[in-house]
Coordinates of all heavy atoms in Angstrom, one line a residue:
D12 N 0.8 -1.2 0.0 CA 0.0 0.0 0.0 C 0.9 1.3 0.0 O 0.3 2.4 0.1 CB -0.9 0.0 1.2 CG -0.2 0.0 2.6 OD1 1.0 0.2 2.5 OD2 -0.9 -0.3 3.6
M13 N 2.2 1.1 0.0 CA 3.1 2.2 -0.2 C 3.0 3.2 1.1 O 3.4 4.4 1.0 CB 2.9 3.0 -1.4 CG 2.9 2.1 -2.7 SD 4.5 1.4 -3.0 CE 5.5 2.8 -3.4
G14 N 2.4 2.7 2.2 CA 2.3 3.6 3.3 C 1.2 4.7 3.2 O 1.1 5.6 4.0
I15 N 0.3 4.6 2.1 CA -0.7 5.5 1.8 C -2.0 5.0 2.4 O -2.5 3.9 1.9 CB -0.8 5.9 0.3 CG1 0.6 6.4 -0.1 CG2 -1.9 6.9 0.0 CD1 0.6 6.6 -1.6
A16 N -2.7 5.8 3.2 CA -3.9 5.3 3.8 C -5.0 4.9 2.9 O -5.8 4.0 3.1 CB -4.4 6.4 4.8
T17 N -5.1 5.6 1.7 CA -6.2 5.3 0.8 C -5.8 4.1 -0.1 O -6.8 3.7 -0.9 CB -6.5 6.5 -0.1 OG1 -5.3 6.9 -0.7 CG2 -7.0 7.7 0.8
N18 N -4.6 3.6 -0.1 CA -4.3 2.4 -0.9 C -4.7 1.1 -0.2 O -4.6 1.1 1.1 CB -2.8 2.4 -1.2 CG -2.4 3.4 -2.2 OD1 -3.2 4.0 -2.9 ND2 -1.1 3.6 -2.4
K19 N -5.1 0.2 -0.9 CA -5.5 -1.1 -0.3 C -4.2 -2.0 -0.2 O -3.4 -2.1 -1.1 CB -6.6 -1.8 -1.2 CG -7.9 -1.1 -1.1 CD -8.9 -2.0 -1.7 CE -10.3 -1.4 -1.5 NZ -11.5 -2.2 -2.0
G20 N -4.2 -2.8 0.9 CA -3.1 -3.7 1.1 C -3.5 -5.1 0.6 O -2.6 -6.0 0.7
R21 N -4.7 -5.3 0.2 CA -5.2 -6.6 -0.3 C -6.2 -6.4 -1.3 O -7.0 -5.5 -1.2 CB -5.6 -7.6 0.8 CG -6.2 -8.8 0.3 CD -6.7 -9.7 1.4 NE -5.6 -10.2 2.2 CZ -4.9 -11.3 1.9 NH1 -5.2 -12.1 0.9 NH2 -3.9 -11.7 2.7
F22 N -6.3 -7.2 -2.4 CA -7.5 -7.2 -3.3 C -8.0 -8.5 -3.5 O -7.3 -9.6 -3.4 CB -7.2 -6.4 -4.6 CG -6.3 -7.2 -5.6 CD1 -6.8 -8.2 -6.3 CD2 -4.9 -6.8 -5.7 CE1 -6.0 -8.9 -7.2 CE2 -4.1 -7.5 -6.6 CZ -4.6 -8.6 -7.3
N23 N -9.3 -8.6 -3.7 CA -10.1 -9.8 -4.1 C -10.8 -9.6 -5.4 O -11.4 -8.6 -5.5 CB -10.9 -10.2 -3.0 CG -10.3 -10.1 -1.6 OD1 -9.4 -11.0 -1.3 ND2 -10.8 -9.3 -0.7
D24 N -10.8 -10.6 -6.2 CA -11.5 -10.4 -7.4 C -11.8 -11.7 -8.1 O -11.3 -12.8 -7.8 CB -10.8 -9.6 -8.5 CG -11.6 -8.6 -9.2 OD1 -12.9 -8.8 -9.2 OD2 -11.1 -7.7 -9.8
V25 N -12.8 -11.7 -9.0 CA -13.3 -12.9 -9.8 C -12.9 -12.7 -11.2 O -13.0 -11.7 -11.8 CB -14.8 -13.0 -9.6 CG1 -15.4 -14.1 -10.5 CG2 -15.2 -13.2 -8.2
T26 N -12.5 -13.8 -11.8 CA -12.2 -13.9 -13.3 C -13.2 -14.9 -13.8 O -13.7 -15.8 -13.3 CB -10.7 -14.4 -13.5 OG1 -10.5 -15.7 -13.0 CG2 -9.7 -13.5 -12.8
Y27 N -13.4 -14.7 -15.1 CA -14.3 -15.6 -15.8 C -14.0 -15.6 -17.3 O -13.3 -14.8 -17.8 CB -15.8 -15.2 -15.6 CG -16.0 -13.8 -16.1 CD1 -16.5 -13.5 -17.4 CD2 -15.9 -12.7 -15.3 CE1 -16.8 -12.2 -17.8 CE2 -16.1 -11.3 -15.7 CZ -16.5 -11.2 -17.0 OH -16.8 -9.9 -17.4
G28 N -14.5 -16.6 -18.0 CA -14.3 -16.7 -19.4 C -15.1 -17.9 -20.0 O -15.7 -18.7 -19.3
F29 N -15.0 -18.1 -21.2 CA -15.6 -19.3 -21.9 C -14.8 -19.5 -23.2 O -13.9 -18.8 -23.6 CB -17.1 -19.0 -22.3 CG -17.2 -17.9 -23.3 CD1 -17.2 -18.1 -24.7 CD2 -17.5 -16.6 -22.9 CE1 -17.4 -17.2 -25.6 CE2 -17.7 -15.5 -23.8 CZ -17.7 -15.8 -25.1
G30 N -15.0 -20.7 -23.7 CA -14.3 -21.1 -24.9 C -15.1 -22.0 -25.8 O -16.0 -22.7 -25.3
I31 N -14.7 -22.0 -27.0 CA -15.3 -22.9 -28.0 C -14.2 -23.8 -28.6 O -13.2 -23.3 -29.0 CB -16.0 -22.2 -29.1 CG1 -17.2 -21.3 -28.5 CG2 -16.5 -23.1 -30.2 CD1 -17.9 -20.4 -29.5
I32 N -14.4 -25.1 -28.6 CA -13.5 -26.0 -29.2 C -14.0 -26.5 -30.5 O -15.1 -27.1 -30.7 CB -13.2 -27.3 -28.2 CG1 -12.8 -26.7 -26.9 CG2 -12.2 -28.2 -28.8 CD1 -12.8 -27.9 -25.8
I33 N -13.2 -26.3 -31.6 CA -13.6 -26.7 -32.9 C -12.8 -28.0 -33.2 O -11.6 -28.0 -33.4 CB -13.3 -25.6 -34.0 CG1 -14.0 -24.4 -33.6 CG2 -13.6 -26.1 -35.4 CD1 -13.7 -23.2 -34.6
P34 N -13.5 -29.2 -33.2 CA -12.7 -30.5 -33.3 C -12.3 -30.8 -34.8 O -12.9 -31.7 -35.5 CB -13.8 -31.4 -32.9 CG -15.1 -30.9 -33.1 CD -14.9 -29.4 -33.1
T35 N -11.4 -30.0 -35.3 CA -11.0 -30.1 -36.7 C -10.4 -31.5 -37.0 O -10.5 -32.1 -38.0 CB -10.1 -29.0 -37.1 OG1 -8.9 -29.0 -36.1 CG2 -10.7 -27.7 -37.1
H36 N -9.7 -32.0 -35.9 CA -9.1 -33.4 -36.1 C -10.1 -34.5 -36.4 O -9.9 -35.3 -37.2 CB -8.3 -33.7 -34.9 CG -7.7 -35.0 -34.9 ND1 -6.5 -35.3 -35.6 CD2 -8.0 -36.3 -34.2 CE1 -6.2 -36.6 -35.4 NE2 -7.1 -37.1 -34.6
K37 N -11.2 -34.4 -35.6 CA -12.3 -35.4 -35.9 C -13.1 -35.1 -37.1 O -13.4 -36.1 -37.9 CB -13.3 -35.3 -34.7 CG -14.4 -36.3 -34.7 CD -15.3 -36.2 -33.5 CE -16.3 -37.3 -33.5 NZ -17.2 -37.2 -32.3
W38 N -13.4 -33.9 -37.5 CA -14.2 -33.6 -38.6 C -13.5 -33.9 -39.9 O -14.2 -34.3 -40.9 CB -14.5 -32.0 -38.7 CG -15.5 -31.6 -37.6 CD1 -16.2 -32.5 -36.8 CD2 -15.9 -30.3 -37.3 NE1 -17.0 -31.7 -36.0 CE2 -16.9 -30.4 -36.2 CE3 -15.6 -29.0 -37.8 CZ2 -17.5 -29.3 -35.7 CZ3 -16.2 -27.9 -37.2 CH2 -17.1 -28.1 -36.2
W39 N -12.2 -33.8 -40.0 CA -11.5 -34.1 -41.2 C -10.7 -35.4 -41.2 O -9.7 -35.6 -41.8 CB -10.5 -32.9 -41.6 CG -11.2 -31.8 -42.3 CD1 -11.5 -31.7 -43.6 CD2 -11.7 -30.6 -41.6 NE1 -12.1 -30.5 -43.8 CE2 -12.3 -29.8 -42.7 CE3 -11.6 -30.1 -40.4 CZ2 -12.9 -28.6 -42.4 CZ3 -12.2 -28.8 -40.1 CH2 -12.8 -28.1 -41.1
G40 N -11.2 -36.3 -40.4 CA -10.7 -37.7 -40.4 C -9.3 -37.8 -40.0 O -8.5 -38.7 -40.5
G41 N -8.8 -37.0 -39.0 CA -7.5 -37.1 -38.4 C -6.5 -36.2 -39.1 O -5.3 -36.2 -38.7
S42 N -6.9 -35.4 -40.0 CA -6.0 -34.4 -40.6 C -6.8 -33.1 -40.8 O -7.8 -33.1 -41.4 CB -5.5 -34.9 -42.0 OG -4.7 -33.9 -42.6
P43 N -6.3 -32.0 -40.2 CA -5.0 -31.8 -39.6 C -5.0 -32.4 -38.2 O -6.0 -32.7 -37.5 CB -4.9 -30.3 -39.5 CG -6.3 -29.9 -39.4 CD -7.1 -30.8 -40.3
P44 N -3.7 -32.6 -37.6 CA -3.6 -33.2 -36.3 C -3.7 -32.2 -35.1 O -3.0 -32.3 -34.2 CB -2.1 -33.7 -36.4 CG -1.4 -32.7 -37.2 CD -2.4 -32.3 -38.3
F45 N -4.8 -31.3 -35.2 CA -4.9 -30.4 -34.1 C -6.4 -30.0 -34.1 O -7.2 -30.2 -35.1 CB -4.1 -29.2 -34.2 CG -4.2 -28.4 -35.5 CD1 -5.3 -27.5 -35.7 CD2 -3.3 -28.6 -36.6 CE1 -5.4 -26.9 -36.9 CE2 -3.3 -27.9 -37.7 CZ -4.5 -27.0 -38.0
D46 N -6.8 -29.4 -33.0 CA -8.2 -28.8 -32.8 C -7.9 -27.3 -32.6 O -6.8 -26.9 -32.1 CB -8.9 -29.4 -31.6 CG -9.2 -30.9 -31.8 OD1 -9.4 -31.3 -33.0 OD2 -9.2 -31.6 -30.9
V47 N -8.9 -26.6 -32.8 CA -8.9 -25.1 -32.7 C -9.6 -24.7 -31.4 O -10.8 -25.1 -31.3 CB -9.4 -24.3 -33.9 CG1 -9.3 -22.9 -33.8 CG2 -8.7 -24.8 -35.2
Y48 N -8.9 -23.9 -30.6 CA -9.6 -23.5 -29.3 C -9.7 -21.9 -29.4 O -8.8 -21.3 -29.7 CB -8.7 -23.8 -28.2 CG -8.7 -25.2 -27.7 CD1 -8.4 -26.3 -28.6 CD2 -9.1 -25.6 -26.4 CE1 -8.4 -27.6 -28.2 CE2 -9.2 -26.9 -26.0 CZ -8.8 -27.9 -26.9 OH -8.8 -29.2 -26.5
I49 N -10.9 -21.4 -29.3 CA -11.2 -20.0 -29.3 C -11.7 -19.6 -27.9 O -12.7 -20.2 -27.4 CB -12.3 -19.6 -30.4 CG1 -11.8 -20.1 -31.7 CG2 -12.5 -18.1 -30.4 CD1 -12.8 -19.8 -32.8
D50 N -10.9 -18.8 -27.2 CA -11.2 -18.5 -25.8 C -11.4 -17.1 -25.6 O -10.7 -16.2 -26.2 CB -10.0 -19.0 -25.0 CG -9.9 -20.5 -25.0 OD1 -10.8 -21.2 -24.8 OD2 -8.7 -20.9 -25.2
Y51 N -12.3 -16.7 -24.7 CA -12.5 -15.3 -24.2 C -12.2 -15.3 -22.7 O -12.6 -16.2 -22.0 CB -14.0 -14.9 -24.4 CG -14.3 -13.6 -23.7 CD1 -14.0 -12.4 -24.4 CD2 -15.0 -13.6 -22.5 CE1 -14.3 -11.2 -23.7 CE2 -15.3 -12.4 -21.9 CZ -14.9 -11.2 -22.5 OH -15.3 -10.0 -21.8
F52 N -11.5 -14.2 -22.2 CA -11.2 -14.2 -20.8 C -11.5 -12.7 -20.4 O -11.4 -11.8 -21.2 CB -9.7 -14.5 -20.5 CG -8.7 -13.6 -21.2 CD1 -8.3 -12.4 -20.5 CD2 -8.2 -13.8 -22.4 CE1 -7.4 -11.6 -21.1 CE2 -7.3 -12.9 -23.0 CZ -6.9 -11.8 -22.3
A53 N -11.8 -12.6 -19.1 CA -12.1 -11.3 -18.5 C -11.5 -11.3 -17.1 O -11.8 -12.2 -16.3 CB -13.5 -11.0 -18.5
F54 N -10.7 -10.3 -16.8 CA -10.2 -10.1 -15.4 C -10.6 -8.6 -15.0 O -10.1 -7.6 -15.6 CB -8.7 -10.3 -15.3 CG -8.1 -9.9 -13.9 CD1 -8.3 -10.8 -12.9 CD2 -7.4 -8.8 -13.8 CE1 -7.8 -10.4 -11.6 CE2 -6.8 -8.5 -12.6 CZ -7.0 -9.4 -11.5
E55 N -11.5 -8.5 -14.0 CA -12.0 -7.2 -13.7 C -11.0 -6.7 -12.6 O -11.1 -7.1 -11.5 CB -13.4 -7.3 -13.1 CG -14.4 -8.0 -14.0 CD -14.7 -7.2 -15.2 OE1 -14.5 -6.0 -15.1 OE2 -15.1 -7.8 -16.2
N56 N -10.1 -5.8 -13.1 CA -9.1 -5.3 -12.1 C -9.8 -4.6 -10.9 O -10.6 -3.8 -11.0 CB -8.3 -4.2 -12.8 CG -7.1 -4.8 -13.6 OD1 -6.6 -5.8 -13.1 ND2 -6.8 -4.3 -14.8
P57 N -9.4 -5.0 -9.7 CA -10.0 -4.6 -8.5 C -9.6 -3.2 -8.2 O -8.6 -2.7 -8.6 CB -9.6 -5.5 -7.4 CG -8.2 -5.9 -7.9 CD -8.3 -6.0 -9.4

């Protein structure tokens, strides 16, 4: 808190997110050898 009374010495917060997995490996019969992950994330700075 830098010794400043208005600064907080601890913060608490919640993060959240979601993702979509595109199974390209399964859809194309094993080629390409990977799946595509599209993710969204959010961190609400306290």
Side-chain angles (χ1 to χ4, degrees):
D12 62 10
M13 309 295 292
I15 301 175
T17 56
N18 286 352
K19 289 191 172 183
R21 173 182 292 274
F22 71 78
N23 309 295
D24 218 345
V25 173
T26 64
Y27 58 91
F29 64 86
I31 297 174
I32 304 170
I33 303 175
T35 53
H36 177 77
K37 181 178 181 179
W38 287 354
W39 278 279
S42 179
F45 57 79
D46 296 326
V47 180
Y48 286 58
I49 303 175
D50 297 311
Y51 170 81
F52 65 89
F54 176 73
E55 306 294 336
N56 274 324

